[in-house]
Amino acid sequence: MKSFVKTIKLFLKSPQIILAYLVLLGVSNVFFSQLYKAFVAEYEKWGDKGTDSLFFLSDMGYLCYVFFVFWVFISYEFFRKSKEAGIQENLDCLGVRGSIFYLHQLGTLMLAVLIFTANVGAYMVVGYFQLHFPPVLTDQVYRMLAINVFLLSVGSVFCGSAISQIRNRFAGYGVALALSFLMIWELLGPIAEGLGQGGNVLHVMRAFFCFLPPDTQAYPDALYGLPFESYRIAIIGIWIVLGSIWILRKMCIRSKNAMTVVTCICVVLLAGLGERAWNRGSVLLQGDSPQSALMECLIGGEEPEDQARTKEAEFEVAGYRMELRIRKELSAICRVELAEGGTKRAESNALEEYDFTLYHCYQVRDVQDDQGKKMEFRQEGDYVIVKGNGEMVKEITFYYEGGSNFIYSNSHACFLTGIVPWYPKPGFQEFTKNRCVEWLGEPLVSFDIGLDIPGEVVSNLERSEGRYKGRTDNALFVKGYLDEEYYNKTNIVCYPMQRASYRTAQWFQNGKLQQTMDRWMEYLGAEKEQTAKKKVICIPESMAFASRMNQYYETNSYILAGAGISPRELIRWRLEKKGRSELTDIFYELLPFEDFEEVDVSGLLVYREIYEPEYYSKADELHDMVIQKIRDVGMQETMKRIYARVIADDYERNLDADLEFVETLAQNK
């Protein structure tokens, strides 16, 4: 005990160490106190409407970089004390007794970490009660304190411990600096981008060694919560092993056999932890990773538009029977039941190929027919081509697994919707990953799904005898931090950590959306249409969803609606339901917002004035003709006529016909 007290005194009497520790405490207290004051002021001003408590915890994550840098420095300097005092050789001669000094050093640092954690935890507790956190956020507070403060600090201490074994002091600081660049994406990103393909090496290294919270600057996801996945704990474990292996070897310095055994055990632990860190499954990654939701749109280095296909299936699907298991990712056995006859061809019951669309993040392992025979297949991006076996096929079974960092699915949360093909859908559908496209006009089919996932989920299918069954155009499963009580009352999925979702719900409940839509239809000279009365799923306001999804999608059985839902989004959906064309795109681009009366047409962009003749296309000509018409007769009259055309049932999406139509309008001023 006395030697431990002496080690604590050594910590307190080392100027650079105690100063760094005090600065860490000072910076943290100033930051958290100012953050707390800002949120309290916001709460007092706006009450429940102005503050989402998730942001309080999310903003605390900014300081994780500071935690890492300071703890690495403190640990590095403290573990070098034996080298600087020239006593390391004497300690090595003492064997196990000598290694006790290193254990006391480690214990002293752990005590400092605990004091620091308690200090940060005090702000979390006060914020929890003063800002009236929803009860669902309680476990997020625990996770934040345990992982992003305590374990992150512990991992940083062991990083410093490992670096301290570098003989040259300045070389050690060089390694620490390089490690900081590797850990902090804002520093690594420009370097990796500048290296081109060589930057992939840095990304691979970062995947094994970075335990800092991802996406600290991204908009948090209210359904998913802050990311605290187990792969980060595994990476911290890697650093604990790396930072302690030299201490364990010191304890066995008198026995080579024991040292060999200890080294082998550490290698095995590193291999196991490395496998868990690499195979992390489906997690929410928004922007600071090559595997993030923003980068998921790339397939083989090519833009999705280069790979998008459209092909009608030569068969019809009668229904799906699935067995789903969701833990770190989705594992599925999906039986696709073909309609009677198995094909649309009258002359044959067998097809050479069966074409399906399945999101590329799900890897197909095997395909079998209804007799259990294997069927050859190839997976190309979002498309799966199954080769027929020359016989009539009544059922095709897919065995696949995987997970998206955008449409995530793990034991903690999932957001599986029909706008992304998470199960095989017939035909080749044009699906661009940088913008979700709703599956329009899909027929109703039967679903019978067994779902193995911890906790409760929301689905558009009825649960019966432990399975989800029903007839709809696509299957939906949502799980996470959602308000189940509110959902049971209103059939609208909202999130306690995203109060804007309740405002979206009110738009559907109080009739405001319908009233505003009526005004729009009057403005466009069209018949009023009733908004659908369906299950509403609010879209989480994360950066991943905001960059990849529209604000409104409507299927046969549910609606996906974002916080920024507006009648313009409903009009967009109705136009895309009819099918997109250059004229519909121009119409939506020029469609005014709710201030119908004050539309300035003088500043509208004319492409002829900015494009060279060789780059001036027919679509550009159509755009300029519409603008000229607006300037001649006004915005409302022009938009009325175009809307009547594009919404008509007999509208043919033909650029030349649209040019002729607008030219006729321009002549009839």
Side-chain angles (χ1 to χ4, degrees):
M1 185 65 183
K2 289 183 179 180
S3 59
F4 181 55
V5 173
K6 289 181 179 179
T7 309
I8 295 176
K9 290 181 179 180
L10 177 63
F11 180 89
L12 298 174
K13 290 181 179 180
S14 302
Q16 73 275 32
I17 295 176
I18 191 61
L19 179 62
Y21 186 63
L22 292 176
V23 170
L24 173 62
L25 290 174
V27 169
S28 302
N29 278 277
V30 170
F31 177 85
F32 291 137
S33 62
Q34 293 300 316
L35 182 67
Y36 171 75
K37 289 178 182 179
F39 271 81
V40 167
E42 186 78 5
Y43 184 83
E44 290 176 349
K45 182 178 181 180
W46 301 107
D48 287 345
K49 295 182 179 179
T51 303
D52 283 351
S53 47
L54 181 64
F55 288 94
F56 180 75
L57 295 180
S58 176
D59 288 351
M60 294 181 82
Y62 283 111
L63 222 58
C64 289
Y65 296 159
V66 177
F67 299 166
F68 169 75
V69 171
F70 273 86
W71 281 119
V72 168
F73 172 80
I74 292 170
S75 173
Y76 176 74
E77 287 292 332
F78 196 47
F79 277 114
R80 285 191 62 87
K81 284 297 177 182
S82 60
K83 290 184 175 66
E84 294 176 357
I87 61 172
Q88 185 167 344
E89 292 77 7
N90 295 331
L91 294 174
D92 291 346
C93 292
L94 293 174
V96 175
R97 291 178 58 192
S99 63
I100 291 176
F101 173 73
Y102 304 124
L103 296 178
H104 287 165
Q105 284 182 303
L106 185 60
T108 300
L109 291 170
M110 291 300 102
L111 179 60
V113 167
L114 287 173
I115 294 172
F116 173 73
T117 303
N119 181 209
V120 176
Y123 287 98
M124 291 187 180
V125 172
V126 172
Y128 180 88
F129 289 104
Q130 292 298 315
L131 297 175
H132 299 278
F133 280 29
V136 73
L137 201 61
T138 303
D139 78 315
Q140 288 276 285
V141 175
Y142 292 146
R143 290 167 182 255
M144 180 78 177
L145 192 62
I147 298 176
N148 281 7
V149 180
F150 178 73
L151 286 181
L152 187 147
S153 300
V154 170
S156 303
V157 165
F158 279 95
C159 282
S161 169
I163 298 171
S164 70
Q165 297 311 295
I166 298 175
R167 291 180 178 275
N168 185 283
R169 186 188 192 92
F170 293 103
Y173 275 114
V175 172
L177 181 62
L179 186 60
S180 298
F181 273 80
L182 191 66
M183 290 279 190
I184 303 173
W185 174 256
E186 286 73 15
L187 301 176
L188 178 67
I191 298 175
E193 185 176 348
L195 293 175
Q197 292 296 325
N200 293 334
V201 177
L202 296 179
H203 291 304
V204 172
M205 293 174 62
R206 189 171 187 268
F208 279 109
F209 295 124
C210 178
F211 53 79
L212 297 184
D215 303 315
T216 53
Q217 297 185 7
Y219 204 93
D221 188 300
L223 175 65
Y224 196 93
L226 298 179
F228 299 112
E229 290 85 2
S230 59
Y231 77 86
R232 287 180 56 210
I233 300 177
I235 297 175
I236 292 175
I238 290 174
W239 280 108
I240 290 176
V241 174
L242 290 176
S244 60
I245 188 172
W246 68 271
I247 299 177
L248 296 174
R249 286 173 62 88
K250 294 286 187 184
M251 296 175 66
C252 305
I253 199 168
R254 291 185 175 181
S255 173
K256 290 185 178 181
N257 291 335
M259 189 180 296
T260 301
V261 171
V262 166
T263 303
C264 290
I265 292 174
C266 289
V267 170
V268 171
L269 286 174
L270 288 173
L273 292 168
E275 191 279 334
R276 182 64 189 91
W278 181 256
N279 296 318
R280 55 192 62 179
S282 175
V283 298
L284 176 63
L285 293 175
Q286 300 195 62
D288 65 354
S289 167
Q291 292 79 37
S292 70
L294 298 181
M295 298 300 293
E296 231 177 59
C297 62
L298 298 179
I299 303 178
E302 297 184 16
E303 292 293 337
E305 284 78 7
D306 297 335
Q307 303 245 344
R309 310 178 194 175
T310 301
K311 182 180 179 182
E312 184 179 357
E314 297 186 48
F315 59 92
E316 295 179 352
V317 171
Y320 292 89
R321 290 186 296 118
M322 305 185 202
E323 302 300 328
L324 307 178
R325 188 177 189 274
I326 299 178
R327 289 299 185 266
K328 70 175 183 179
E329 61 184 7
L330 172 68
S331 178
I333 302 174
C334 178
R335 295 177 175 87
V336 183
E337 301 174 9
L338 304 186
E340 186 176 355
T343 175
K344 294 179 181 178
R345 296 180 181 178
E347 70 276 9
S348 173
N349 288 328
L351 294 175
E352 293 181 2
E353 292 183 342
Y354 296 85
D355 301 323
F356 292 90
T357 302
L358 177 68
Y359 195 38
H360 66 275
C361 288
Y362 303 102
Q363 300 301 310
V364 179
R365 293 185 288 104
D366 193 18
V367 179
Q368 297 179 3
D369 64 11
D370 47 297
Q371 302 299 320
K373 299 178 181 178
K374 288 192 175 184
M375 302 181 73
E376 295 183 13
F377 70 93
R378 64 182 186 273
Q379 189 169 8
E380 302 172 352
D382 292 318
Y383 308 105
V384 181
I385 301 95
V386 179
K387 187 176 181 180
N389 54 16
E391 302 176 359
M392 184 181 70
V393 177
K394 297 180 180 179
E395 182 179 275
I396 299 177
T397 302
F398 291 83
Y399 297 82
Y400 62 94
E401 59 188 14
S404 165
N405 295 326
F406 164 45
I407 304 296
Y408 43 76
S409 55
N410 55 42
S411 58
H412 170 65
C414 68
F415 194 80
L416 298 174
T417 76
I419 63 172
V420 175
W422 59 271
Y423 56 88
K425 297 197 174 189
F428 291 157
Q429 302 287 346
E430 184 177 355
F431 176 75
T432 57
K433 273 65 66 181
N434 62 338
R435 177 62 63 180
C436 290
V437 177
E438 183 182 5
W439 297 79
L440 301 167
E442 283 191 283
L444 302 184
V445 297
S446 63
F447 287 88
D448 183 355
I449 302 177
L451 178 62
D452 179 10
I453 185 174
E456 298 295 324
V457 298
V458 169
S459 177
N460 61 334
L461 301 171
E462 295 293 331
R463 187 171 186 181
S464 173
E465 300 177 350
R467 300 183 68 83
Y468 293 88
K469 301 179 180 180
R471 189 172 178 80
T472 183
D473 52 353
N474 62 74
L476 163 83
F477 291 104
V478 178
K479 178 183 184 294
Y481 293 107
L482 52 87
D483 192 335
E484 294 185 12
E485 182 178 352
Y486 189 85
Y487 169 72
N488 292 331
K489 293 179 181 178
T490 63
N491 211 31
I492 300 177
V493 174
C494 294
Y495 314 113
M497 295 187 287
Q498 180 182 314
R499 294 192 175 103
S501 62
Y502 294 95
R503 293 197 292 272
T504 301
Q506 290 173 4
W507 265 66
F508 287 90
Q509 288 180 299
N510 60 19
K512 184 178 179 181
L513 183 63
Q514 182 64 57
Q515 294 171 9
T516 312
M517 272 300 295
D518 290 344
R519 287 187 61 207
W520 268 102
M521 292 300 100
E522 182 180 350
Y523 175 82
L524 294 172
E527 294 184 5
K528 296 179 180 179
E529 299 182 37
Q530 292 293 319
T531 54
K533 302 292 184 182
K534 299 177 181 177
K535 185 192 303 291
V536 177
I537 312 296
C538 291
I539 300 173
E541 284 190 298
S542 68
M543 184 176 75
F545 286 121
S547 63
R548 301 283 303 282
M549 294 178 66
N550 294 325
Q551 289 291 316
Y552 186 86
Y553 299 88
E554 185 174 331
T555 70
N556 172 262
S557 56
Y558 65 87
I559 292 171
L560 294 177
I565 179 65
S566 69
R568 293 181 86 250
E569 294 295 332
L570 269 72
I571 292 174
R572 178 209 287 264
W573 174 78
R574 289 175 179 177
L575 291 176
E576 292 188 352
K577 186 176 181 181
K578 294 286 185 179
R580 292 184 60 180
S581 69
E582 286 83 358
L583 187 58
T584 58
D585 290 344
I586 293 169
F587 173 85
Y588 184 77
E589 174 194 347
L590 299 176
L591 192 65
F593 289 88
E594 293 185 25
D595 190 3
F596 303 121
E597 303 301 327
E598 300 180 5
V599 178
D600 181 15
V601 298
S602 62
L604 294 178
L605 184 64
V606 178
Y607 291 156
R608 188 185 296 276
E609 298 175 357
I610 61 174
Y611 289 164
E612 297 294 331
E614 60 268 26
Y615 299 113
Y616 189 73
S617 65
K618 283 187 177 182
D620 299 328
E621 182 182 358
L622 179 65
H623 175 273
D624 288 352
M625 289 175 64
V626 172
I627 289 179
Q628 186 59 49
K629 183 62 181 177
I630 290 173
R631 291 176 175 175
D632 290 342
V633 302
M635 175 71 76
Q636 184 176 4
E637 183 64 24
T638 304
M639 301 307 276
K640 274 184 180 181
R641 297 189 184 186
I642 295 177
Y643 185 74
R645 174 175 174 79
V646 299
I647 207 69
D649 292 335
D650 59 349
Y651 172 55
E652 295 182 3
R653 284 140 195 89
N654 182 284
L655 180 56
D656 291 328
D658 287 337
L659 277 166
E660 183 178 348
F661 167 76
V662 178
E663 185 176 5
T664 303
L665 290 180
Q667 294 172 354
N668 299 325
K669 298 182 181 179

Coordinates of all heavy atoms in Angstrom, one line a residue, residues 601-645:
V601 N -39.8 36.1 -61.0 CA -39.4 35.3 -62.1 C -38.3 36.0 -62.9 O -37.7 35.4 -63.8 CB -40.6 35.1 -63.1 CG1 -41.7 34.4 -62.4 CG2 -41.1 36.5 -63.6
S602 N -37.9 37.2 -62.5 CA -36.8 37.9 -63.2 C -35.5 37.2 -63.0 O -34.6 37.3 -63.9 CB -36.8 39.3 -62.8 OG -36.5 39.4 -61.4
G603 N -35.3 36.6 -61.9 CA -34.0 36.0 -61.6 C -33.9 34.5 -62.0 O -32.9 33.9 -61.6
L604 N -34.9 34.0 -62.7 CA -34.8 32.6 -63.0 C -33.7 32.3 -64.0 O -33.5 33.1 -65.0 CB -36.1 32.1 -63.6 CG -37.3 32.1 -62.7 CD1 -38.6 31.7 -63.4 CD2 -37.1 31.2 -61.5
L605 N -33.0 31.2 -63.8 CA -31.8 30.9 -64.6 C -32.2 30.5 -66.0 O -33.1 29.7 -66.2 CB -31.0 29.8 -63.9 CG -29.6 29.4 -64.6 CD1 -28.7 30.6 -64.5 CD2 -29.1 28.2 -63.8
V606 N -31.5 31.1 -67.0 CA -31.7 30.7 -68.4 C -30.4 30.0 -68.9 O -29.3 30.5 -68.9 CB -32.0 31.9 -69.3 CG1 -32.1 31.5 -70.8 CG2 -33.2 32.6 -68.8
Y607 N -30.6 28.7 -69.2 CA -29.4 27.9 -69.6 C -28.7 28.3 -70.9 O -27.5 28.2 -71.0 CB -29.8 26.4 -69.7 CG -30.2 25.8 -68.4 CD1 -31.0 24.7 -68.3 CD2 -29.7 26.3 -67.2 CE1 -31.4 24.1 -67.1 CE2 -30.1 25.7 -66.0 CZ -30.9 24.6 -66.0 OH -31.2 24.0 -64.8
R608 N -29.5 28.9 -71.8 CA -28.9 29.4 -73.1 C -27.8 30.4 -72.8 O -26.9 30.5 -73.6 CB -30.0 29.9 -74.0 CG -29.5 30.2 -75.4 CD -30.6 30.8 -76.3 NE -31.7 29.9 -76.4 CZ -31.7 29.0 -77.4 NH1 -30.7 28.9 -78.2 NH2 -32.8 28.3 -77.5
E609 N -28.0 31.2 -71.8 CA -27.1 32.3 -71.5 C -25.8 31.8 -70.8 O -24.8 32.6 -70.8 CB -27.8 33.3 -70.6 CG -29.0 34.0 -71.2 CD -29.7 34.9 -70.3 OE1 -29.3 35.0 -69.1 OE2 -30.7 35.5 -70.7
I610 N -25.7 30.6 -70.3 CA -24.5 30.1 -69.6 C -23.9 28.9 -70.2 O -22.7 28.7 -70.0 CB -24.9 29.8 -68.1 CG1 -25.9 28.7 -68.1 CG2 -25.4 31.0 -67.4 CD1 -26.2 28.2 -66.6
Y611 N -24.6 28.2 -71.1 CA -24.0 27.0 -71.7 C -23.5 27.3 -73.1 O -24.0 28.1 -73.9 CB -25.0 25.9 -71.9 CG -25.4 25.3 -70.5 CD1 -26.6 24.5 -70.4 CD2 -24.6 25.4 -69.4 CE1 -26.9 23.9 -69.2 CE2 -25.0 24.8 -68.2 CZ -26.1 24.1 -68.1 OH -26.5 23.5 -66.9
E612 N -22.4 26.7 -73.5 CA -21.9 26.7 -74.9 C -22.9 26.0 -75.8 O -23.5 25.0 -75.3 CB -20.5 26.1 -74.9 CG -19.4 26.8 -74.1 CD -19.2 28.2 -74.7 OE1 -19.3 28.4 -75.9 OE2 -18.8 29.1 -73.9
P613 N -22.9 26.4 -77.0 CA -23.9 25.7 -77.9 C -23.8 24.2 -78.0 O -24.8 23.5 -78.1 CB -23.6 26.4 -79.3 CG -23.0 27.7 -79.0 CD -22.2 27.5 -77.7
E614 N -22.6 23.7 -77.9 CA -22.4 22.2 -78.0 C -22.9 21.5 -76.8 O -23.1 20.3 -76.8 CB -20.9 21.9 -78.3 CG -20.0 22.3 -77.3 CD -19.4 23.7 -77.6 OE1 -20.0 24.5 -78.3 OE2 -18.2 24.0 -77.1
Y615 N -23.0 22.2 -75.7 CA -23.5 21.6 -74.5 C -25.0 21.9 -74.2 O -25.5 21.5 -73.2 CB -22.7 22.0 -73.3 CG -21.2 21.7 -73.4 CD1 -20.2 22.7 -73.5 CD2 -20.8 20.4 -73.4 CE1 -18.9 22.3 -73.7 CE2 -19.5 20.0 -73.5 CZ -18.5 21.0 -73.6 OH -17.2 20.7 -73.8
Y616 N -25.6 22.6 -75.1 CA -27.0 23.0 -74.9 C -27.9 21.9 -75.4 O -28.0 21.7 -76.6 CB -27.2 24.4 -75.6 CG -28.6 25.0 -75.3 CD1 -28.8 25.6 -74.0 CD2 -29.6 25.0 -76.2 CE1 -30.0 26.2 -73.8 CE2 -30.8 25.6 -76.0 CZ -31.0 26.2 -74.7 OH -32.2 26.8 -74.5
S617 N -28.6 21.2 -74.5 CA -29.4 20.0 -74.9 C -30.9 20.4 -75.1 O -31.3 21.5 -74.9 CB -29.3 19.0 -73.9 OG -29.9 19.4 -72.7
K618 N -31.6 19.4 -75.6 CA -33.1 19.6 -75.7 C -33.7 19.8 -74.4 O -34.7 20.6 -74.3 CB -33.7 18.4 -76.4 CG -33.5 18.3 -77.9 CD -34.3 17.1 -78.5 CE -34.1 17.1 -80.0 NZ -34.9 16.0 -80.6
A619 N -33.2 19.2 -73.3 CA -33.8 19.4 -72.0 C -33.5 20.8 -71.5 O -34.4 21.4 -70.9 CB -33.1 18.4 -71.0
D620 N -32.4 21.4 -71.9 CA -32.1 22.8 -71.5 C -33.0 23.7 -72.3 O -33.5 24.7 -71.8 CB -30.6 23.1 -71.9 CG -29.7 22.3 -71.1 OD1 -30.0 21.9 -69.9 OD2 -28.6 22.0 -71.6
E621 N -33.3 23.4 -73.6 CA -34.2 24.2 -74.4 C -35.6 24.2 -73.8 O -36.3 25.2 -73.7 CB -34.2 23.6 -75.8 CG -35.1 24.5 -76.8 CD -35.2 23.9 -78.2 OE1 -34.5 22.9 -78.4 OE2 -35.9 24.4 -79.0
L622 N -36.0 23.0 -73.3 CA -37.4 22.9 -72.7 C -37.4 23.7 -71.4 O -38.4 24.4 -71.2 CB -37.6 21.4 -72.4 CG -39.0 21.1 -71.7 CD1 -40.1 21.4 -72.6 CD2 -39.0 19.7 -71.2
H623 N -36.4 23.7 -70.7 CA -36.3 24.5 -69.4 C -36.4 26.0 -69.7 O -37.2 26.7 -69.1 CB -34.9 24.2 -68.7 CG -34.7 25.1 -67.6 ND1 -34.1 26.3 -67.6 CD2 -34.9 24.9 -66.2 CE1 -33.9 26.8 -66.5 NE2 -34.4 26.0 -65.6
D624 N -35.7 26.4 -70.8 CA -35.7 27.9 -71.1 C -37.1 28.3 -71.7 O -37.6 29.4 -71.4 CB -34.6 28.2 -72.1 CG -33.3 28.2 -71.5 OD1 -33.2 28.0 -70.2 OD2 -32.2 28.2 -72.2
M625 N -37.7 27.4 -72.4 CA -39.1 27.7 -73.0 C -40.1 27.8 -71.8 O -41.0 28.7 -71.9 CB -39.5 26.6 -73.9 CG -38.7 26.6 -75.2 SD -39.2 25.2 -76.3 CE -40.9 25.6 -76.7
V626 N -40.0 27.0 -70.8 CA -40.9 27.1 -69.7 C -40.7 28.4 -68.9 O -41.6 29.1 -68.6 CB -40.7 25.9 -68.7 CG1 -41.5 26.1 -67.4 CG2 -41.1 24.6 -69.4
I627 N -39.4 28.8 -68.8 CA -39.1 30.1 -68.1 C -39.7 31.3 -68.9 O -40.3 32.2 -68.4 CB -37.6 30.3 -67.9 CG1 -37.1 29.3 -66.8 CG2 -37.2 31.7 -67.5 CD1 -35.7 29.3 -66.5
Q628 N -39.5 31.2 -70.2 CA -40.0 32.3 -71.1 C -41.6 32.4 -71.0 O -42.1 33.5 -70.9 CB -39.6 32.0 -72.5 CG -40.0 33.2 -73.5 CD -39.4 34.5 -73.1 OE1 -38.2 34.6 -72.8 NE2 -40.2 35.6 -73.0
K629 N -42.2 31.2 -70.9 CA -43.7 31.2 -70.8 C -44.1 31.8 -69.4 O -45.0 32.6 -69.3 CB -44.2 29.8 -70.8 CG -45.7 29.7 -70.8 CD -46.4 30.4 -71.9 CE -47.9 30.2 -71.8 NZ -48.6 31.0 -72.9
I630 N -43.3 31.5 -68.3 CA -43.6 32.1 -67.0 C -43.5 33.6 -67.1 O -44.3 34.4 -66.5 CB -42.6 31.5 -66.0 CG1 -43.0 30.0 -65.7 CG2 -42.7 32.3 -64.7 CD1 -42.0 29.3 -64.8
R631 N -42.5 34.1 -67.8 CA -42.3 35.6 -67.9 C -43.4 36.2 -68.7 O -43.7 37.4 -68.5 CB -40.9 35.8 -68.5 CG -39.7 35.5 -67.5 CD -38.4 35.7 -68.2 NE -37.3 35.4 -67.2 CZ -36.0 35.4 -67.5 NH1 -35.6 35.7 -68.8 NH2 -35.1 35.2 -66.6
D632 N -43.9 35.5 -69.7 CA -45.0 36.0 -70.5 C -46.3 36.1 -69.9 O -47.0 37.1 -69.9 CB -45.1 35.2 -71.8 CG -43.8 35.4 -72.7 OD1 -43.1 36.4 -72.5 OD2 -43.6 34.6 -73.6
V633 N -46.7 35.0 -69.2 CA -48.1 34.9 -68.7 C -48.2 34.8 -67.2 O -49.3 34.8 -66.6 CB -48.9 33.8 -69.4 CG1 -48.9 34.0 -70.9 CG2 -48.3 32.4 -69.0
G634 N -47.0 34.6 -66.5 CA -47.0 34.4 -65.1 C -46.8 33.0 -64.6 O -47.0 32.1 -65.4
M635 N -46.4 32.9 -63.4 CA -46.0 31.6 -62.8 C -47.2 30.7 -62.7 O -47.2 29.5 -63.1 CB -45.4 31.8 -61.5 CG -45.1 30.5 -60.7 SD -43.7 29.6 -61.4 CE -42.3 30.6 -60.9
Q636 N -48.3 31.2 -62.1 CA -49.5 30.3 -61.8 C -50.1 29.7 -63.1 O -50.4 28.5 -63.1 CB -50.5 31.1 -61.0 CG -51.7 30.2 -60.6 CD -52.7 30.9 -59.7 OE1 -52.5 32.1 -59.5 NE2 -53.7 30.2 -59.2
E637 N -50.3 30.6 -64.1 CA -50.9 30.1 -65.3 C -50.1 29.0 -66.0 O -50.6 28.0 -66.4 CB -51.2 31.3 -66.3 CG -51.9 30.9 -67.5 CD -53.3 30.4 -67.3 OE1 -53.9 30.8 -66.2 OE2 -53.8 29.6 -68.1
T638 N -48.8 29.2 -66.0 CA -47.9 28.3 -66.6 C -47.9 27.0 -65.9 O -48.0 25.9 -66.4 CB -46.5 28.8 -66.7 OG1 -46.5 30.1 -67.4 CG2 -45.5 27.9 -67.4
M639 N -47.8 27.0 -64.5 CA -47.7 25.8 -63.7 C -49.0 25.1 -63.8 O -49.0 23.8 -63.8 CB -47.3 26.2 -62.3 CG -46.0 26.9 -62.1 SD -44.6 26.1 -62.9 CE -44.2 24.9 -61.6
K640 N -50.1 25.8 -63.9 CA -51.4 25.1 -64.0 C -51.4 24.2 -65.3 O -51.8 23.0 -65.2 CB -52.5 26.1 -64.2 CG -53.1 26.7 -62.9 CD -54.3 27.6 -63.2 CE -54.9 28.2 -61.9 NZ -56.0 29.0 -62.2
R641 N -51.0 24.8 -66.4 CA -51.1 24.0 -67.6 C -50.1 22.8 -67.7 O -50.5 21.8 -68.2 CB -50.8 25.0 -68.8 CG -51.8 26.1 -68.9 CD -51.6 26.9 -70.2 NE -52.5 28.0 -70.3 CZ -52.6 28.8 -71.4 NH1 -51.9 28.6 -72.5 NH2 -53.5 29.8 -71.4
I642 N -48.9 23.1 -67.1 CA -48.0 22.0 -67.1 C -48.4 20.8 -66.2 O -48.4 19.7 -66.5 CB -46.6 22.5 -66.7 CG1 -46.0 23.4 -67.7 CG2 -45.6 21.3 -66.5 CD1 -44.7 24.0 -67.4
Y643 N -49.0 21.2 -65.0 CA -49.4 20.2 -64.1 C -50.6 19.4 -64.6 O -50.6 18.2 -64.5 CB -49.9 20.9 -62.8 CG -50.3 19.9 -61.7 CD1 -49.3 19.2 -61.0 CD2 -51.6 19.7 -61.3 CE1 -49.6 18.3 -60.0 CE2 -52.0 18.8 -60.3 CZ -51.0 18.1 -59.7 OH -51.3 17.2 -58.7
A644 N -51.5 20.1 -65.3 CA -52.6 19.3 -66.0 C -52.1 18.3 -67.0 O -52.6 17.2 -67.1 CB -53.5 20.3 -66.6
R645 N -51.0 18.7 -67.6 CA -50.4 17.7 -68.6 C -49.7 16.5 -68.0 O -50.0 15.4 -68.3 CB -49.4 18.5 -69.5 CG -48.7 17.5 -70.5 CD -47.8 18.3 -71.4 NE -47.0 17.5 -72.3 CZ -47.4 16.8 -73.4 NH1 -48.7 17.0 -73.8 NH2 -46.6 16.1 -74.1

